[in-house]
Amino acid sequence: MKETSMEREGRVRKKWEEDGTFQRSIANREGRETYVFYEGPPTANGLPHAGHALGRTIKDFVARYKTMSGYQVLRKAGWDTHGLPVELEVEKLLNIRGKDQIEEYGVENFIQKCKESVFTYENEWKQFTKALGYWVDMDDPYVTLTNDYIESVWNILSTIHEKGYLYKGHRVVPYCPHCETSLSSHEVAQGYKDVSDLSVTAKFRLMDKTNEYFLGWTTTPWTLPGNVALAVNPKMNYVRVKQGTEIYILAESLVTTVLQEDYEILEVVAGKDLIGLSYEPPFDYVAVKNGHKVLGADFVTDSSGTGIVHLNPAHGEDDYKVIHDNNFDYVNVVDSKGRYKEMVSLLAGKFVKDCDVDIIKMLSQKNRLFAKQKYEHSYPHCWRCDSPLLYYAMEGWFIKTTAVKEAMQANNQEVEWFPSHMKDGRFGNFLNNMVDWNIGRNRYWGTPLNVWVCKTCGKEKAPSSIKELRKLSAAEVPADLELHKPYVDKVQLACSCGRRMERTSEVIDVWFDSGSMPFAQYHYPFEKKDMFNKQFPADVVIEGVDQTRGWFYSLLAVSTLYTGQSPYKRVLSLGHILDEDGQKMSKSKGNALNPTELIQEFGADALRWALLADSSPWNNKRFSKKTVSQAKSKVIDTLLNVYTFYTMYAEIDQFDPSRDVGGVQTTLDRWIVSRLNTVVKEVVQSLDAYDITRGARSITVFIDELSNWYVRRSRQRFWSSGMTDDKRSAFSTLYEVLTKLSQLMAPYTPFVSEDIYTNLVNDSVHVSDYPKPEESLIDIQLENDMNAVLEIIELTRSARNITGIKTKQPLANLAVIPTDAILSNLHHYSPIIKEEVNVKGLEFRKDFRDLLQLHLKLNFAVAGPKLGKSLGEVKNILEKLDDQLKARFVEGGELQLTLQSGEPVNLTKEDILLEKTAKDGYALGEGTNFIILLETTVTKELKEEGLVREFIRAVQSYRKELNLPVDLRVVLYIQTDSWLQEVLVKFAPLVERNLIIKAVHFEHKPMMRSFQVEEYEVKLYIQS
Ligand SMILES: [Zn+2]
Ligand SMILES: [Zn+2]
């Protein structure tokens, strides 16, 4: 039984584990230059998907390539273990929802459950990582929940606090009502969805007027019960307009849009003159001391709405600021779960975003609705629980990233991005628009924010280590204090005012954890400073493009705040994996590919090759099972077939690469060696520029050339008995090629490469040095010639296909006409071409006129306008043109005609389309460098030879079926009709040349097997 991919890869993996090959590949480079790689930590409470397969394949690729290129590449694994995702999983598990129920369940128990849940799928992740062949040190990973890790994060936060960049503020932030916590702007950026919402124009009655209204506009009707003010732009003009019995005030430029028709403008008023006017809000749920007046704001425009904007301070950043600046009252009618508070009596307890329609109905009942409109927009949703977010004014902790914005931008400029447009595009833009980092989360499972606050005097303290915490503590701190809630919350610090300081209750944004990994993975600055110095900054970080707002951002922000430096020199940003129709893969759509299943069916090598070779990893990638299956059949299996062919004969002949060196090289040997070195050169150039896909394409072409040309053409050289000079050369050439090719492919397909290389060289390919091209072995002329030969063969094959004459059927003659004189020097390849395309004769010619018919046709698009009325006449002339004139046109590119009127007409190449057809008895093939004409007449003699070749093929396939050793000479018994027997006797030398036989007998044997050779029945018996 042939070994499956899974079995082969399992065998290789076992050997790696036994031999400690991964560790050896690192130890092997001790003292060499370091190439620093950071692992972006996955969370192990979800299963790996196709995107992870791409990320991990490229990480492994780069690390293996750099290792083989001479660098030492440490690969410390990491696990991201904190944060909302974990809490939400545990909520589901315990069947509880929301913070009240967590408190009820008990924070300590909840935290313990979170800790257990973190590694739910750790085993699956480890299996997947190993199966994919991703070498990463999972025995000594960094884990963000450990005290050591947290202590490093504390040290960073303490430094930031010391610099005055960690502060508490009251401001409007994006807020998830389900998770009951605010989010950072980069988290928000990850969850936009297109939704349909309602906008409303409501009527705000002017104080002391019965029928006069401001038309106030809002895209969030649910915020109307908390209305505190209306805003106008002081620089815009407004109008009082009468429509029906009512008077409206709105922006002059929007009158037609809003009122459409039947209105009368009473007065134009400057925006600034409206400021200070009082109105009665549509709802009376809140009473204000200062408010319900018009104020001026520059952000009001006339690009939509009415030019008058409804303001609610609790849910909009602009609203909050302008209301605060005008000393108007702050009100909030929404609770922490996103529901209306008691005061909004009719809707109390309902989720506000579900109440837009209720609000509109209520407005309408009160005669306060002017208009409503549906609109589509992109609205942020929680990146973890999918709830629509609310903007919400609240207290929170912020890091003043805006203070280091320029430093971050400058650091970014030093980074090499793949693809390059990310630097000033997606990532650069994100940096340009950055806001302060909302770092606190009102949750439970995370790194506790290490800020202690004194309620009495307001002093803050941010301990930078466990040691400092102990020193500042008002009481003894347990020796085994775990740096999590609720344990750290029990620690109180002594304040200089004499009172106690308590820890602020928040945990921090989980993205700050992963952004701290360059430092925290080595417990910096408490331990391993040398290690840290060697491993900072990273030469490369690699993740999906969505990490521009996630890990790529948090790494840069943390490091810039902490050290001023960029944490990485290079970023590889990977596109998404889409299904074959270009749709995003998702479990709910059912179009997600499971990478583990793909590995089981096709092998990790095939999956990796498909991911790396099919299209550039920087762009979104259409991907399907078919891509993987093709990678297996076209690349992995083809390589294995060549390798199996080699080992089979090497065994028969006891070929020993160290003893059987040299031999007499054929042109074909020199050619494949030249190609090998050209490909090595191309691949190294590509990979040094991180162009993994181009490298793969060079290899794909080479594997095809090796298998379908070099090996196929060399087969017979291996059949001869004994070790001849020619055979020795064939063996050493193939040995050299397979050795280097397995090295070239090792970062792409680590398993099959390892298997082949180890068997050839008796050591691991992954501790070897990546091949370097040997320029002296590259013969460009030879490569070009062989390319030309292959083109001629290809053209001839397609000409045969068109006429339906099988390659097995010999034909008399092939004429080859190069379109370029340089290529006419291919005479010494004639034997190869003749044999490949199965023709008796081959001639290179300059002239093809006697074999072709030329048709000159007018190119109407060009000639039409030029000829005008004479068009028809010229067309007729061309149809009847004699061959001599046609030939003259072909040579000179010009044609002079005379019309009946005596007027001369001059036609050039642009005016004429030249069509060629072969004369009877010939088939035509036209390529870029050649025209070929294949004689298609099958004479009796040729027909007979064709039959004999069909017969040979039948015997060969029968031998294969019987599984006979390839070099075994057999006795062949044949029974067929007398005519075919005669033919076989006549062509005996051809039969003997192609079949490994001792003797042929035309006689009957029992148990003969019947074959069809064209229209004849042939019975065969093989005696071994
Ligand atoms: Zn949420
Ligand atoms: Zn104090």
Side-chain angles (χ1 to χ4, degrees):
M1 269 296 274
K2 230 176 118 191
E3 192 179 39
T4 67
S5 308
M6 270 271 283
E7 287 160 354
R8 179 178 60 250
E9 291 175 2
R11 180 165 54 71
V12 171
R13 202 158 45 236
K14 195 160 159 258
K15 190 160 164 50
W16 283 345
E17 276 159 27
E18 283 165 6
D19 297 354
T21 315
F22 171 37
Q23 293 75 7
R24 195 151 78 84
S25 78
I26 291 170
N28 191 32
R29 301 300 186 197
E30 194 60 53
R32 303 287 292 272
E33 206 179 321
T34 309
Y35 183 88
V36 181
F37 163 82
Y38 288 165
E39 164 71 331
T43 49
N45 74 330
L47 285 168
H49 55 68
H52 292 121
L54 175 65
R56 287 169 114 62
T57 295
I58 293 195
K59 289 174 188 183
D60 185 65
F61 181 94
V62 172
R64 282 185 198 264
Y65 174 65
K66 288 295 171 186
T67 300
M68 289 181 77
S69 305
Y71 295 90
Q72 189 178 45
V73 190
L74 299 188
R75 281 157 263 180
K76 195 177 175 68
W79 296 109
D80 202 10
T81 53
H82 280 147
L84 268 178
V86 184
E87 292 192 38
L88 294 177
E89 278 301 309
V90 173
E91 279 187 31
K92 254 190 250 164
L93 186 82
L94 298 173
N95 199 19
I96 59 175
R97 197 180 153 104
K99 281 157 76 173
D100 299 343
Q101 294 189 357
I102 292 174
E103 297 280 346
E104 212 174 285
Y105 179 77
V107 175
E108 184 167 4
N109 290 338
F110 185 73
I111 292 296
Q112 288 307 323
K113 286 281 174 206
C114 286
K115 216 185 292 174
E116 287 163 23
S117 147
V118 164
F119 291 109
T120 310
Y121 297 112
E122 188 193 9
N123 208 31
E124 280 82 350
W125 271 91
K126 281 191 168 169
Q127 292 304 328
F128 164 65
T129 303
K130 281 184 188 172
L132 188 66
Y134 177 31
W135 272 357
V136 64
D137 183 3
M138 287 189 291
D139 296 331
D140 179 28
Y142 66 89
V143 182
T144 58
L145 60 73
T146 60
N147 266 13
D148 281 356
Y149 198 95
I150 293 172
E151 191 178 26
S152 290
V153 175
W154 274 18
N155 190 272
I156 296 167
L157 286 166
S158 174
T159 308
I160 294 171
H161 187 260
E162 188 118 306
K163 288 179 180 171
Y165 292 158
L166 179 58
Y167 68 95
K168 194 168 194 181
H170 188 256
R171 54 168 63 185
V172 175
V173 288
Y175 179 85
C176 174
H178 173 234
C179 302
E180 289 182 65
T181 184
S182 61
L183 302 172
S184 67
S185 56
H186 46 269
E187 283 173 303
V188 174
Q190 297 181 42
Y192 274 89
K193 273 193 200 173
D194 289 332
V195 293
S196 167
D197 270 324
L198 287 161
S199 73
V200 153
T201 304
K203 304 196 293 198
F204 297 73
R205 195 168 60 84
L206 271 78
M207 210 52 96
D208 309 323
K209 300 277 170 85
T210 49
N211 64 340
E212 188 164 343
Y213 302 93
F214 291 111
L215 292 185
W217 183 68
T218 179
T219 54
T220 48
W222 60 267
T223 61
L224 280 169
N227 172 273
V228 168
L230 290 173
V232 296
N233 188 322
K235 292 186 194 114
M236 275 163 42
N237 275 340
Y238 291 79
V239 282
R240 290 179 66 235
V241 191
K242 190 164 184 215
Q243 189 173 46
T245 58
E246 298 188 330
I247 296 167
Y248 303 125
I249 298 175
L250 70 159
E252 185 181 20
S253 54
L254 289 165
V255 176
T256 336
T257 325
V258 177
L259 301 179
Q260 282 161 18
E261 50 193 17
D262 292 335
Y263 59 83
E264 181 193 344
I265 296 181
L266 305 175
E267 191 187 352
V268 178
V269 196
K272 64 177 170 25
D273 293 334
L274 296 174
I275 295 172
L277 292 178
S278 290
Y279 64 85
E280 182 193 85
F283 300 108
D284 54 4
Y285 298 122
V286 296
V288 296
K289 265 196 233 138
N290 231 346
H292 295 153
K293 283 183 184 163
V294 177
L295 45 76
D298 293 336
F299 62 76
V300 179
T301 68
D302 61 357
S303 62
S304 54
T306 59
I308 301 175
V309 174
H310 139 76
L311 300 180
N312 172 330
H315 305 289
E317 215 173 317
D318 290 335
D319 303 35
Y320 179 87
K321 195 171 175 311
V322 69
I323 281 171
H324 182 261
D325 291 350
N326 281 277
N327 280 321
F328 279 23
D329 288 6
Y330 174 83
V331 303
N332 183 7
V333 298
V334 182
D335 72 10
S336 66
K337 290 189 166 59
R339 303 171 305 198
Y340 284 114
K341 293 182 187 166
E342 283 304 317
M343 60 179 97
V344 187
S345 44
L346 280 172
L347 300 172
K350 280 183 127 177
F351 182 53
V352 293
K353 271 214 61 102
D354 295 338
C355 289
D356 282 345
V357 173
D358 298 282
I359 294 285
I360 289 166
K361 272 190 200 151
M362 287 156 70
L363 284 173
S364 172
Q365 280 157 12
K366 290 165 164 263
N367 183 31
R368 290 305 185 88
L369 179 69
F370 180 81
K372 61 174 197 283
Q373 209 173 5
K374 236 191 201 160
Y375 70 107
E376 309 278 334
H377 65 152
S378 191
Y379 193 84
H381 287 66
C382 181
W383 66 290
R384 276 307 171 185
C385 79
D386 228 22
S387 302
L389 300 180
L390 302 178
Y391 283 83
Y392 210 96
M394 60 193 310
E395 292 244 285
W397 287 93
F398 295 87
I399 292 178
K400 209 172 172 56
T401 39
T402 47
V404 294
K405 178 172 169 176
E406 277 162 24
M408 282 174 74
Q409 286 170 323
N411 282 339
N412 177 41
Q413 286 308 312
E414 302 302 311
V415 175
E416 189 182 9
W417 278 88
F418 293 88
S420 59
H421 60 75
M422 296 294 296
K423 179 192 281 188
D424 294 316
R426 196 152 165 174
F427 194 69
N429 287 335
F430 193 65
L431 293 184
N432 295 343
N433 297 315
M434 77 162 75
V435 293
D436 282 353
W437 188 343
N438 178 9
I439 192 81
R441 296 289 177 274
N442 296 306
R443 296 295 307 193
Y444 304 92
W445 180 238
T447 296
L449 183 61
N450 54 330
V451 179
W452 270 256
V453 184
C454 174
K455 282 211 179 98
T456 313
C457 72
K459 272 201 198 84
E460 289 174 9
K461 190 76 208 167
S464 62
S465 63
I466 298 175
K467 202 171 148 196
E468 193 184 3
L469 181 75
R470 291 187 191 285
K471 210 177 83 189
L472 298 171
S473 174
E476 184 82 359
V477 175
D480 58 349
L481 175 72
E482 180 181 334
L483 300 186
H484 276 129
K485 276 166 95 65
Y487 316 106
V488 277
D489 291 336
K490 292 177 187 148
V491 179
Q492 293 186 323
L493 307 188
C495 184
S496 54
C497 75
R499 306 298 287 260
R500 298 265 160 107
M501 300 173 111
E502 284 190 8
R503 195 185 74 81
T504 187
S505 65
E506 293 88 347
V507 295
I508 63 164
D509 183 358
V510 65
W511 293 97
F512 195 92
D513 279 2
S514 52
S516 303
M517 64 70 60
F519 313 97
Q521 69 171 336
Y522 293 118
H523 195 204
Y524 179 87
F526 305 103
E527 277 184 75
K528 300 186 194 128
K529 279 194 181 169
D530 287 352
M531 192 59 162
F532 168 76
N533 287 330
K534 242 176 94 178
Q535 294 288 314
F536 182 88
D539 283 289
V540 74
V541 294
I542 305 168
E543 291 296 335
V545 60
D546 42 323
Q547 297 299 336
T548 43
R549 279 105 198 258
W551 194 51
F552 298 151
Y553 177 81
S554 67
L555 275 175
L556 183 66
V558 171
S559 182
T560 307
L561 285 158
Y562 192 41
T563 69
Q565 288 183 54
S566 173
Y568 43 67
K569 296 180 191 163
R570 203 168 282 109
V571 180
L572 272 52
S573 160
L574 314 176
H576 293 293
I577 300 225
L578 310 174
D579 72 8
E580 46 193 338
D581 303 320
Q583 297 293 312
K584 241 184 159 175
M585 285 190 186
S586 77
K587 261 191 237 158
S588 56
K589 272 191 222 149
N591 63 349
L593 284 175
N594 179 339
T596 304
E597 282 170 19
L598 290 173
I599 292 173
Q600 281 163 359
E601 187 167 354
F602 304 106
D605 283 332
L607 175 61
R608 290 170 63 117
W609 186 269
L611 287 167
L612 296 170
D614 187 53
S615 64
S616 166
W618 321 140
N619 302 327
N620 288 346
K621 193 184 268 296
R622 285 182 186 216
F623 202 69
S624 68
K625 209 166 156 172
K626 207 173 92 200
T627 323
V628 187
S629 123
Q630 279 176 353
K632 179 178 183 310
S633 61
K634 286 194 176 153
V635 177
I636 313 293
D637 289 351
T638 307
L639 173 68
L640 275 170
N641 285 341
V642 172
Y643 171 68
T644 313
F645 173 83
Y646 166 83
T647 45
M648 190 166 73
Y649 285 101
E651 211 165 287
I652 292 169
D653 281 314
Q654 293 294 303
F655 170 73
D656 175 353
S658 59
R659 185 193 62 206
D660 299 316
V661 286
V664 179
Q665 278 198 319
T666 62
T667 307
L668 209 59
D669 292 341
R670 284 192 298 108
W671 170 74
I672 197 73
V673 169
S674 175
R675 282 293 299 143
L676 173 69
N677 283 283
T678 298
V679 168
V680 169
K681 196 167 150 181
E682 286 167 3
V683 172
V684 169
Q685 274 170 359
S686 302
L687 299 192
D688 284 344
Y690 294 86
D691 195 341
I692 301 168
T693 307
R694 201 177 61 192
R697 290 199 177 137
S698 299
I699 293 174
T700 309
V701 171
F702 184 70
I703 289 179
D704 182 55
E705 290 170 339
L706 175 66
S707 163
N708 292 323
W709 191 237
Y710 179 76
V711 170
R712 194 164 59 72
R713 290 292 317 164
S714 301
R715 261 197 181 146
Q716 298 202 6
R717 300 166 68 192
F718 292 90
W719 292 348
S720 62
S721 55
M723 186 62 79
T724 61
D725 270 352
D726 175 60
K727 198 169 179 182
R728 193 172 291 125
S729 173
F731 267 124
S732 6
T733 304
L734 194 50
Y735 174 82
E736 164 82 1
V737 169
L738 279 169
T739 309
K740 290 258 168 73
L741 180 58
S742 58
Q743 287 178 296
L744 273 188
M745 292 177 73
Y748 289 97
T749 53
F751 296 100
V752 70
S753 304
E754 180 76 320
D755 205 23
I756 294 175
Y757 187 86
T758 308
N759 286 335
L760 295 173
V761 179
N762 198 25
D763 197 0
S764 168
V765 70
H766 302 290
V767 298
S768 72
D769 291 340
Y770 209 68
K772 288 190 179 69
E774 285 181 60
E775 296 281 350
S776 64
L777 298 176
I778 296 178
D779 182 343
I780 293 296
Q781 179 63 45
L782 174 59
E783 290 189 30
N784 289 343
D785 284 355
M786 198 63 88
N787 239 344
V789 168
L790 290 168
E791 186 185 336
I792 293 167
I793 291 167
E794 193 47 47
L795 285 173
T796 312
R797 285 211 186 111
S798 36
R800 268 182 183 271
N801 277 347
I802 292 163
T803 48
I805 304 173
K806 289 184 200 163
T807 304
K808 287 269 176 290
Q809 175 60 59
L811 291 172
N813 193 45
L814 175 70
V816 177
I817 305 100
T819 52
D820 188 337
I822 308 166
L823 293 164
S824 59
N825 202 12
L826 295 170
H827 294 94
H828 52 284
Y829 295 97
S830 292
I832 297 185
I833 299 171
K834 272 160 52 181
E835 196 176 316
E836 271 299 312
V837 302
N838 201 9
V839 294
K840 299 288 165 196
L842 169 68
E843 43 175 346
F844 286 92
R845 307 165 53 139
K846 278 192 193 132
D847 194 347
F848 49 77
R849 260 171 281 168
D850 53 326
L851 304 177
L852 277 181
Q853 268 156 358
L854 295 176
H855 311 270
L856 271 49
K857 292 194 171 155
L858 276 177
N859 180 1
F860 287 108
V862 180
K866 179 172 158 182
L867 296 173
K869 272 188 229 154
S870 326
L871 192 72
E873 193 185 341
V874 174
K875 185 169 166 272
N876 283 335
I877 298 176
L878 284 184
E879 273 165 16
K880 290 174 196 138
L881 206 65
D882 70 50
D883 285 352
Q884 226 176 347
L885 280 172
K886 286 180 185 171
R888 203 176 296 165
F889 168 75
V890 173
E891 273 159 25
E894 258 190 2
L895 191 61
Q896 266 133 16
L897 306 172
T898 313
L899 300 179
Q900 250 172 346
S901 63
E903 198 192 324
V905 172
N906 191 27
L907 296 174
T908 64
K909 276 183 177 168
E910 287 71 36
D911 302 317
I912 289 180
L913 301 171
L914 183 65
E915 282 176 15
K916 307 184 192 84
T917 50
K919 284 196 171 161
D920 280 354
Y922 284 87
L924 170 73
E926 277 187 277
T928 36
N929 298 308
F930 300 96
I931 293 168
I932 63 101
L933 283 148
L934 179 66
E935 201 178 326
T936 51
T937 318
V938 180
T939 59
K940 179 173 165 282
E941 181 90 352
L942 290 172
K943 168 84 184 164
E944 286 170 4
E945 191 184 330
L947 273 175
V948 173
R949 288 189 184 275
E950 283 290 333
F951 167 80
I952 291 169
R953 198 180 54 84
V955 178
Q956 279 164 342
S957 69
Y958 190 29
R959 271 192 75 128
K960 234 181 211 167
E961 223 180 281
L962 295 172
N963 230 341
L964 297 176
V966 283
D967 57 340
L968 184 73
R969 291 197 175 270
V970 296
V971 179
L972 189 59
Y973 292 86
I974 307 166
Q975 188 182 25
T976 185
D977 85 21
S978 57
W979 181 78
L980 184 57
Q981 182 170 333
E982 248 172 65
V983 173
L984 289 173
V985 171
K986 181 169 155 193
F987 283 90
L990 182 65
V991 174
E992 279 158 27
R993 235 187 1 260
N994 285 281
L995 294 173
I996 302 166
I997 41 181
K998 278 191 271 199
V1000 177
H1001 303 292
F1002 289 95
E1003 58 181 80
H1004 176 78
K1005 278 268 170 187
M1007 310 276 290
M1008 281 189 119
R1009 170 80 184 272
S1010 171
F1011 289 89
Q1012 200 67 28
V1013 174
E1014 298 287 328
E1015 61 267 47
Y1016 304 96
E1017 193 193 12
V1018 177
K1019 287 180 175 167
L1020 292 177
Y1021 178 76
I1022 291 179
Q1023 189 179 66
S1024 51

